[in-house]
């Protein structure tokens, strides 16, 4: 009975791993999102790599070339993770831009007038 409890079972076929390696997750989390308002495009700069114009196709091509050990499921997961990261940064940028547009600006400054 003890032998049956502690004996190793033959390993079944392991499914393809779709979890992202830690270096890919760290690269996505620390990537910089550059929002160009004059050209209406978003650039993604991953540390150690050239920046690229963000699109789903460009992101998939980037992950396939930069991290060649990823399978197709991992590339799809990395693209979704990057899409969420970019969407969050664009929303933060839009919120900050709204706040600036509504309030006073530095160029509207006027000296105080003290009437006696």
């Amino acid at each position: 009975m003890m032998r049956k409890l502690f004996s190793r079972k033959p390993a079944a076929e392991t499914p393809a791993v779709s979890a992202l390696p830690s270096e890919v997750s760290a690269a996505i989390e620390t990537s910089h999102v550059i929002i160009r308002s004059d050209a209406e495009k978003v650039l993604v700069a991953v540390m150690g790599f050239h920046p690229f114009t963000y699109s789903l196709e460009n992101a998939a091509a980037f992950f396939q070339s930069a991290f060649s050990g990823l399978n197709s499921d991992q590339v799809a997961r990395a693209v979704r993770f990057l899409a969420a990261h970019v969407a969050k940064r664009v929303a933060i940028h839009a919120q900050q831009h709204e706040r600036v547009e509504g309030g006073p600006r530095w160029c509207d400054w006027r000296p105080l007038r003290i009437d006696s």
Side-chain angles (χ1 to χ4, degrees):
M1 177 142 170
M2 292 300 277
R3 179 173 287 186
K4 188 175 182 182
L5 285 174
F6 293 107
S7 65
R8 292 186 180 235
K9 295 180 182 175
E13 289 183 34
T14 57
V17 178
S18 65
L20 286 177
S22 60
E23 61 268 8
V24 177
S25 298
I28 294 171
E29 289 173 358
T30 60
S31 64
H32 295 281
V33 178
I34 304 161
I35 301 163
R36 304 266 322 255
S37 59
D38 59 336
E40 295 295 326
K41 62 175 146 177
V42 176
L43 299 173
V44 176
V46 178
M47 188 70 72
F49 299 99
H50 292 288
F52 62 94
T53 305
Y54 176 74
S55 70
L56 295 178
E57 296 83 22
N58 289 348
F62 168 76
F63 286 117
Q64 288 172 347
S65 66
F67 303 99
S68 59
L70 299 178
N71 60 26
S72 60
D73 292 336
Q74 289 173 325
V75 170
R77 181 172 282 202
V79 168
R80 288 192 309 265
F81 188 19
L82 182 65
H85 180 70
V86 168
K88 183 172 90 173
R89 295 292 178 205
V90 167
I92 289 171
H93 180 267
Q95 184 182 23
Q96 289 174 346
H97 190 64
E98 266 182 25
R99 211 175 322 152
V100 169
E101 289 294 323
R105 301 178 60 141
W106 70 270
C107 61
D108 297 334
W109 179 84
R110 300 286 182 251
L112 290 175
R113 292 186 135 178
I114 300 174
D115 295 325
S116 302

